[in-house]
């Protein structure tokens, strides 16, 4: 989470307006869903991954690990499409079967979902969350929803910092020396983390009230964006490439 946020703030594409990147990512995802061709999905996956690494500045190892984690989750999700479990014959036995059609459908679904995930990764790796929220505000998103997103975004980092601090304290006291001790330490960590998160939420609420917050949109600084012809040309070329792969 910390590295994802760090890449977004240091991205070489941060100067591009978030609405432009959001429209581009949405167009790529819609083309993958509407055209429904494995070649289109594979091309979108390569483009989004390449842009995140070569232009955005994210490390290849981090992007590949991110895609691997998402790919494993998606692979488990498409198993139900590739494999069917049901009774065999009048005798009542059960069998696990698959057909070339079901395998092809599962593969196409996997590639389409992974391509959409890579498009979302591109947006997350090149645009900080605060700027995405600011762009959503311009699209007339509900103010209450944006407030919840901002507060939860900050709270996630507080929770992770508390978790790592507690875990380091347990490791320094040999809290994971054996499986039995590890289970006990994990149970203690869960209870202490809940109490610490509760106290942190109360402190955050008091801090907001001390600054006169009474609901509505949280004030944010609006960064300055520049028009990039290179970005516009690359975006149009990527979309044209996806259209060109549709007949394959």
């Amino acid at each position: 989470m910390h590295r994802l946020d760090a890449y977004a703030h240091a991205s070489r594409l941060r100067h591009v307006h978030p609405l432009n990147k959001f429209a581009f990512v949405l167009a790529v995802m819609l083309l993958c869903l509407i055209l429904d061709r494995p070649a289109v999905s594979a091309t979108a996956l390569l483009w989004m991954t390449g842009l995140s690494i070569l232009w955005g500045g994210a490390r290849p190892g981090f992007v590949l690990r991110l895609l691997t984690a998402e790919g494993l989750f998606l692979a488990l999700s498409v198993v139900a499409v590739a494999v069917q479990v049901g009774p065999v014959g009048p005798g009542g036995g059960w069998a696990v079967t698959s057909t070339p059609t079901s395998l092809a459908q599962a593969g196409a679904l996997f590639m389409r979902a992974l391509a959409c995930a890579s498009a979302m990764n591109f947006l997350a790796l090149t645009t900080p969350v605060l700027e995405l929220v600011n762009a959503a505000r311009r699209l007339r998103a509900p103010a209450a929803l944006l407030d919840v997103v901002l507060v939860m975004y900050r709270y996630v980092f507080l929770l992770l910092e508390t978790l790592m601090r507690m875990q380091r304290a347990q490791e320094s006291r040999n809290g994971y020396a054996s499986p039995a001790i590890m289970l006990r330490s994990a149970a203690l960590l869960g209870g202490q983390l809940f109490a610490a998160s509760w106290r942190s939420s109360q402190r955050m609420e008091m801090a907001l009230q001390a600054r006169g917050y009474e609901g509505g949109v949280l004030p944010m600084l609006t960064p300055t964006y520049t028009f990039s012809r290179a970005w516009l040309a690359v975006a149009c070329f990527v979309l044209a490439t996806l259209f060109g792969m549709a007949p394959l």
Side-chain angles (χ1 to χ4, degrees), residues 220-231:
M220 291 185 298
L221 295 175
T222 303
T224 302
Y225 303 105
T226 58
F227 176 75
S228 176
R229 294 182 179 179
W231 161 256

Side-chain angles (χ1 to χ4, degrees), residues 16-151:
V16 179
H17 200 286
L19 289 178
N20 294 340
K21 288 182 282 190
F22 178 76
F24 170 67
V25 168
L26 182 62
V28 171
M29 295 174 64
L30 287 176
L31 288 178
C32 292
L33 296 175
I34 294 174
L35 298 178
D36 194 12
R37 293 289 189 274
V40 175
S41 301
T43 304
L45 175 62
L46 293 176
W47 267 119
M48 295 295 98
T49 304
L51 289 176
S52 301
I53 296 172
L54 300 177
W55 202 356
R59 290 187 178 273
F62 178 78
V63 177
L64 293 178
R65 286 196 300 271
L66 190 62
L67 283 175
T68 301
E70 294 166 346
L72 291 175
F73 176 78
L74 293 173
L76 294 175
S77 302
V78 301
V79 169
V81 179
V83 178
Q84 293 81 35
V85 181
V88 179
W94 289 76
V96 178
T97 60
S98 63
T99 62
T101 302
S102 64
L103 292 176
Q105 291 177 348
L109 179 60
F110 174 79
M111 287 300 302
R112 190 162 62 247
L114 190 60
C116 293
S118 67
M120 294 302 298
N121 292 343
F122 168 79
L123 186 63
L125 288 167
T126 58
T127 312
V129 174
L130 296 179
E131 296 182 16
L132 286 176
V133 171
N134 196 22
R137 181 187 299 174
R138 295 192 176 189
L139 295 176
R140 307 300 181 184
L145 177 62
L146 299 182
D147 286 352
V148 172
V149 170
L150 287 175
V151 172

Side-chain angles (χ1 to χ4, degrees), residues 101-230:
T101 302
S102 64
L103 292 176
Q105 291 177 348
L109 179 60
F110 174 79
M111 287 300 302
R112 190 162 62 247
L114 190 60
C116 293
S118 67
M120 294 302 298
N121 292 343
F122 168 79
L123 186 63
L125 288 167
T126 58
T127 312
V129 174
L130 296 179
E131 296 182 16
L132 286 176
V133 171
N134 196 22
R137 181 187 299 174
R138 295 192 176 189
L139 295 176
R140 307 300 181 184
L145 177 62
L146 299 182
D147 286 352
V148 172
V149 170
L150 287 175
V151 172
M152 292 305 298
Y153 171 71
R154 174 56 184 158
Y155 192 70
V156 165
F157 286 96
L158 291 176
L159 193 63
L160 288 176
E161 291 172 2
T162 305
L163 174 63
M164 289 187 293
R165 187 169 60 249
M166 290 181 175
Q167 192 172 20
R168 283 195 298 266
Q170 288 182 335
E171 290 175 351
S172 65
R173 293 171 175 82
N174 293 326
Y176 298 91
S178 66
I181 298 177
M182 182 176 61
L183 290 176
R184 182 174 178 274
S185 298
L188 291 174
L189 180 63
Q192 293 173 357
L193 184 62
F194 176 78
S197 62
W198 181 267
R199 291 192 297 268
S200 297
S201 64
Q202 290 179 327
R203 288 195 297 268
M204 181 181 293
E205 183 179 4
M206 288 188 293
L208 289 173
Q209 291 177 354
R211 289 165 174 80
Y213 178 70
E214 297 179 353
V217 180
L218 290 169
M220 291 185 298
L221 295 175
T222 303
T224 302
Y225 303 105
T226 58
F227 176 75
S228 176
R229 294 182 179 179

